[in-house]
Amino acid sequence: MTKYIFVTGGVVSGLGKGITAASLGRLLKARGLKVAAQKLDPYINVDPGTMSPYQHGEVYVTEDGAETDLDLGHYERFIDEDLNQFSNLTTGKVYWNVLNKERRGEYLGSTVQVIPHITNEIKEFVYRVGKKTGADVVITEIGGTIGDIESQPFIEAVRQISLEVGRENSLFIHVTLVPYLRGSEEHKSKPTQHSVKELQGMGINPNIIVLRCDEPLEEPIFQKIALFCNVKPDCVIENITLPDIYGAPLMLEKSHFSEVVCRELGLDTPAPDLTEWAAMVGRINRARQHCVDIGLVGKYVGLHDAYLSVAEALRHAGFYHDVHVNIHWIDSGEIREDNVCDKLAGLDGIIVPGGFGSRGIAGMILAAKYARERRLPYFGICLGMQTAVIEFARNAAGITGADSGEFDEECADKVIDFMPGQSDEIDKGGTLRLGAYPCEITPGSTMERCYGTLSVSERHRHRYEINNDYRERLSACGLTLSGLSPDNRLVEAVELSGLPFFVGVQFHPEFKSRPNKPHPLFLGFIGAALLQHSRK
């Protein structure tokens, strides 16, 4: 029978529930188990697709086109399993589904209530991911902090699941903060005790308590929390802040985390094989001895989580090349003609990631021009590809009025425009080109050198494309259309093949990068940046 693990958080938000859940997934997979992971989010948005990156961070896209919480990126990077539309559920989606069922008469005239209808919808979603994937273990993270009003239906739903599947097939892990008071030079367990008491008041007794701390804890803290929170002594696990998140599985396993979980769930498994993961962490530690400077030019750099997967993909490529990627977060809105050289000086490469809207576009175009004219490695993703095409059209192809229909609807030369079937008339949510699509690569291109193949599949999230009316003109001036859809209708990638690395892709390769399997395009970009660095 599928086992269910529920991860909750207490005291404060941002404790790393997602990293804890992802680390446990990696450990259980290393024990030979098939693991699925999902996130339950209490906000009322149907999904994060229409939310500001400053509110939510990046939107992570799955293979099947679901717009999801960024924690799913952690799950995929750690567990190395593709997630799906059943991996992220919000309050908004729950109510959307329930109300649609009510309108269709599926409740047969019943009064629709939080219990049982809302909780049943949540339970069905949790059960479905296990059935969909055939997982031995389903790890479900409940967003928010215990005590939040909006998360109560989710807590009640997972409490009911525990009763339905049996205590032997379910496990609750509670992640809490143990603060250190420098005035008295001691750690305090009381916030954890209060958080567990709040959880117990909702009918849930955690089996394992994970203690987030910045410094090692004293043994009496573990004993006190075990006693007052009614858990076994070895079920209190230390989760200390690390310089790199990928060391978390190894750190947690020092406290026998996965061994305790398997014991509590009655799972008979071999010890985890962490050889490859430990070697990767060792490579990460060695990479700090050398660095390469990459400028990330974007419009949401005030919140680094807005570009979380891009930053992680850059670091993954750095691990492979045994180099630390020093990311310079550069606000594209602050780049002007009179300061572009100062803003971008000293960089070994420039990456311009995705985004929406006209703010900061002029700075991105200047960054692409700077890289092109100086033969500096450039990597444009989605919007970063489109701004590079606009720059090339204006300054290399003589289309001085080139622009995107997204930024100027009245523009005479829309080298970037709506893709077929898209327009401003449709709803914004869930109507982009989403999920995995195939791409055919031009032989002899930088793309082929990076991928080592002529056919790939990558994840998309966009509404605008290169306007096919300008393809011949741009190609004649030296822009290589190095990636096309199989039917030849859509341009998936462009490059300047005569430069060391100047590539723009319409898709989001960052979503498929893993710490132990870096994405080929990021490997190529960081490799070119290293060559640039060696010439300084």
Side-chain angles (χ1 to χ4, degrees):
M1 183 176 182
T2 300
K3 306 286 186 177
Y4 294 89
I5 298 173
F6 303 105
V7 181
T8 57
V11 184
V12 296
S13 61
L15 288 179
K17 296 192 304 297
I19 298 298
T20 300
S23 296
L24 178 58
R26 163 53 62 173
L27 293 171
L28 294 178
K29 184 177 180 180
R31 286 178 173 269
L33 296 169
K34 183 170 179 55
V35 180
Q38 64 180 182
K39 174 81 178 288
L40 308 181
D41 277 307
Y43 52 76
I44 299 178
N45 303 69
V46 173
D47 58 45
T50 58
M51 295 172 69
S52 165
Y54 284 122
Q55 289 276 322
H56 188 269
E58 77 169 3
V59 176
Y60 191 82
V61 178
T62 59
E63 283 283 298
D64 59 359
E67 295 177 287
T68 71
D69 181 83
L70 59 80
D71 272 324
L72 270 69
H74 290 313
Y75 302 162
E76 286 205 357
R77 285 186 284 271
F78 276 71
I79 306 172
D80 196 18
E81 295 284 347
D82 288 338
L83 302 181
N84 54 55
Q85 61 182 312
F86 302 116
S87 300
N88 195 202
L89 181 68
T90 70
T91 295
K93 190 178 293 183
V94 171
Y95 276 86
W96 179 279
N97 293 344
V98 168
L99 289 173
N100 279 315
K101 289 179 180 179
E102 186 273 336
R103 291 289 84 189
R104 292 192 298 267
E106 293 186 23
Y107 297 122
L108 303 177
S110 297
T111 300
V112 180
Q113 297 176 292
V114 173
I115 300 173
H117 301 96
I118 296 300
T119 50
N120 282 352
E121 189 71 24
I122 296 168
K123 290 192 298 182
E124 182 182 340
F125 191 88
V126 174
Y127 287 136
R128 199 178 300 156
V129 73
K131 295 174 183 176
K132 176 80 172 178
T133 60
D136 300 309
V137 179
V138 174
I139 301 174
T140 303
E141 176 191 350
I142 292 91
T145 306
I146 292 303
D148 294 345
I149 293 173
E150 57 264 32
S151 62
Q152 289 178 1
F154 291 103
I155 298 298
E156 172 58 21
V158 299
R159 183 193 69 81
Q160 292 180 21
I161 289 175
S162 178
L163 294 177
E164 291 171 3
V165 302
R167 302 292 173 132
E168 70 278 9
N169 295 312
S170 61
L171 185 80
F172 290 95
I173 298 174
H174 194 48
V175 183
T176 73
L177 176 69
V178 179
Y180 181 75
L181 298 185
R182 300 204 176 274
S184 56
E185 297 184 340
E186 60 181 342
H187 286 101
K188 289 295 185 180
S189 66
K190 196 65 69 178
T192 294
Q193 294 178 47
H194 281 297
S195 182
V196 171
K197 181 180 178 182
E198 182 80 22
L199 189 57
Q200 290 171 335
M202 303 173 80
I204 293 174
N205 293 301
N207 306 89
I208 296 174
I209 299 175
V210 175
L211 307 177
R212 179 65 186 273
C213 51
D214 290 327
E215 300 171 6
L217 298 172
E218 306 80 23
E219 184 59 32
I221 289 289
F222 296 98
Q223 298 171 359
K224 183 183 291 187
I225 288 175
L227 177 64
F228 287 106
C229 296
N230 197 29
V231 298
K232 298 172 185 177
D234 65 349
C235 288
V236 183
I237 307 291
E238 182 181 70
N239 184 356
I240 195 165
T241 303
L242 297 173
D244 191 276
I245 60 173
Y246 299 112
L250 302 178
M251 179 265 295
L252 290 168
E253 194 58 13
K254 287 181 180 178
S255 299
H256 308 287
F257 188 29
S258 69
E259 179 183 334
V260 170
V261 167
C262 289
R263 182 194 70 200
E264 295 299 303
L265 286 173
L267 290 167
D268 185 13
T269 65
D273 182 3
L274 297 170
T275 305
E276 180 190 3
W277 198 265
M280 180 196 71
V281 172
R283 193 179 306 122
I284 292 171
N285 293 331
R286 291 193 302 273
R288 294 193 183 95
Q289 300 173 20
H290 308 282
C291 73
V292 62
D293 293 291
I294 301 298
L296 191 154
V297 179
K299 57 171 66 181
Y300 312 120
V301 294
L303 180 68
H304 293 181
D305 274 357
Y307 301 115
L308 180 61
S309 290
V310 173
E312 290 303 313
L314 288 169
R315 295 182 180 114
H316 300 165
F319 304 159
Y320 180 89
H321 287 291
D322 289 324
V323 65
H324 171 70
V325 177
N326 184 24
I327 300 175
H328 298 255
W329 301 87
I330 302 170
D331 189 338
S332 62
E334 296 179 358
I335 298 177
R336 304 182 305 275
E337 288 275 7
D338 61 353
N339 69 4
V340 60
C341 293
D342 293 334
K343 289 283 187 181
L344 305 180
L347 298 176
D348 301 314
I350 293 172
I351 186 167
V352 179
F356 296 89
S358 59
R359 183 178 61 82
I361 295 302
M364 295 180 187
I365 292 172
L366 286 170
K369 181 181 180 183
Y370 180 93
R372 181 176 62 83
E373 293 181 341
R374 288 163 178 76
R375 302 178 63 84
L376 191 68
Y378 177 90
F379 190 12
I381 297 175
C382 197
L383 181 62
M385 171 185 124
Q386 295 173 3
T387 51
V389 169
I390 293 170
E391 189 281 322
F392 183 86
R394 290 178 182 177
N395 301 307
I399 311 173
T400 56
D403 213 329
S404 167
E406 181 180 7
F407 315 139
D408 184 1
E409 294 182 3
E410 306 302 322
C411 170
D413 289 300
K414 296 180 183 177
V415 294
I416 307 294
D417 205 359
F418 281 119
M419 61 179 286
Q422 294 286 341
S423 73
D424 268 335
E425 303 303 317
I426 60 178
D427 291 340
K428 293 291 186 284
T431 58
L432 304 168
R433 188 182 188 210
L434 293 165
Y437 288 88
C439 170
E440 299 299 322
I441 296 174
T442 301
S445 63
T446 302
M447 288 274 288
E448 186 198 9
R449 290 197 300 274
C450 290
Y451 279 106
T453 183
L454 294 177
S455 182
V456 298
S457 174
E458 294 284 1
R459 302 180 194 179
H460 294 65
R461 183 176 183 254
H462 63 99
R463 181 172 277 116
Y464 290 82
E465 299 272 3
I466 289 180
N467 188 337
N468 287 333
D469 293 341
Y470 292 86
R471 280 167 61 164
E472 290 187 10
R473 191 169 172 184
L474 293 172
S475 297
C477 293
L479 186 69
T480 300
L481 307 183
S482 54
L484 299 171
S485 60
D487 60 8
N488 205 39
R489 293 174 64 239
L490 303 174
V491 177
E492 297 280 11
V494 300
E495 63 184 64
L496 296 176
S497 302
L499 300 186
F501 191 99
F502 195 104
V503 174
V505 294
Q506 187 59 75
F507 45 81
H508 289 267
E510 69 270 24
F511 293 146
K512 298 186 75 169
S513 184
R514 306 287 183 263
N516 53 339
K517 290 188 291 186
H519 192 281
L521 291 179
F522 282 88
L523 279 176
F525 174 60
I526 294 301
L530 274 171
L531 288 176
Q532 175 71 23
H533 184 81
S534 68
R535 299 189 187 105
K536 287 183 178 178

